[in-house]
Amino acid sequence: MSSAHDKPVNPDQVVLWSDDYEGHDVISTRTFGFWMYILSDGMLFATLFAAYGVLSYSHSYYTGPTPAQFVAPWYTFIQTMALFLSVLAYGFSMASMKTGSKAGVINGMIASMVLGGVFLGLNIHDVLRMISMGITPEVSGGLSAFYALTQVHAAHIFVGLIWMLVMLYQILKKGFTEDVVGRLISLRMFWQFQAVMWVFIYVFVYLWGYMS
């Protein structure tokens, strides 16, 4: 049984912002609601950054290694490029949606998923490398904060990849309905937010940690 929100929509006619009040359409209302979630997610990361900042001094690592001894900024630079290219591919996917190209959207999203998978795979490899060296969260408070911040971000990336997989199925099955377009816009905000958070992680955790 199809709902009223399953009817096809023209992406060019979707209005997110308007100078004149014309009532709230479903997509703009949901987009605003998801933006509020993004703000709450920002507070979560702010808390994790604050905890890491407090525990980033040498005495917080006790007798264990400090970031300067185990972070690999050139390795994580590859992760950075993979995530940025993933966001770019998703942007091309959304541009294809504006022209009504289902193939363009699907191809862009697949490319974004592959690049996001590269980012996540590199993250897992780096974590396994550190664990093999005995660098685990229970060694010190500083390492606990390091793992909490970086792996919460990795968990968000994993959720984003699952979300993309679900959206691929919905695009193939339903096309560009009002619900699907709204979810694609929300996913774009979510994915771009992860890239922004990674910039802060890369600069303040990996680069700063390596030079400290």
Side-chain angles (χ1 to χ4, degrees), residues 154-207:
H156 280 72
I157 295 296
F158 178 75
V159 170
L161 293 177
I162 297 298
W163 192 352
M164 288 186 194
L165 191 62
V166 172
M167 292 314 302
L168 282 175
Y169 172 77
Q170 292 191 352
I171 292 169
L172 289 170
K173 184 178 180 180
K174 299 181 179 180
F176 297 136
T177 64
E178 194 171 54
D179 281 340
V180 170
V181 171
R183 290 163 188 161
L184 287 171
I185 293 173
S186 295
L187 177 54
R188 179 186 63 183
M189 288 193 295
F190 179 83
W191 205 236
Q192 290 174 340
F193 178 73
Q194 303 315 314
V196 171
M197 288 299 99
W198 178 253
V199 171
F200 289 107
I201 292 173
Y202 181 69
V203 171
F204 293 108
V205 176
Y206 289 95
L207 290 182

Side-chain angles (χ1 to χ4, degrees), residues 28-200:
S28 61
T29 301
R30 290 180 179 176
T31 301
F32 177 75
F34 193 80
W35 174 246
M36 298 301 291
Y37 157 75
I38 292 293
L39 293 178
S40 68
D41 211 25
M43 289 189 285
L44 168 63
F45 277 102
T47 302
L48 293 172
F49 273 111
Y52 180 80
V54 170
L55 296 172
S56 63
Y57 298 99
S58 57
H59 64 268
S60 298
Y61 291 91
Y62 190 50
T63 58
T66 63
Q69 297 171 291
F70 63 82
V71 297
W74 286 109
Y75 183 90
T76 46
F77 178 76
I78 299 174
Q79 287 184 265
T80 304
M81 291 298 99
L83 187 56
F84 282 2
L85 289 173
S86 177
V87 171
L88 179 63
Y90 194 91
F92 285 136
S93 175
M94 294 298 288
S96 296
M97 186 181 71
K98 295 290 289 183
T99 63
S101 173
K102 184 182 291 188
V105 173
I106 292 173
N107 290 334
M109 192 166 294
I110 290 175
S112 184
M113 284 181 60
V114 170
L115 290 164
V118 169
F119 174 91
L120 194 59
L122 291 172
N123 176 80
I124 294 172
H125 180 270
D126 196 37
V127 169
L128 293 176
R129 175 187 66 86
M130 291 190 293
I131 291 176
S132 68
M133 297 168 59
I135 305 172
T136 54
E138 65 269 19
V139 171
S140 65
L143 283 173
S144 295
F146 172 86
Y147 272 98
L149 176 56
T150 57
Q151 298 317 301
V152 165
H153 180 267
H156 280 72
I157 295 296
F158 178 75
V159 170
L161 293 177
I162 297 298
W163 192 352
M164 288 186 194
L165 191 62
V166 172
M167 292 314 302
L168 282 175
Y169 172 77
Q170 292 191 352
I171 292 169
L172 289 170
K173 184 178 180 180
K174 299 181 179 180
F176 297 136
T177 64
E178 194 171 54
D179 281 340
V180 170
V181 171
R183 290 163 188 161
L184 287 171
I185 293 173
S186 295
L187 177 54
R188 179 186 63 183
M189 288 193 295
F190 179 83
W191 205 236
Q192 290 174 340
F193 178 73
Q194 303 315 314
V196 171
M197 288 299 99
W198 178 253
V199 171
F200 289 107

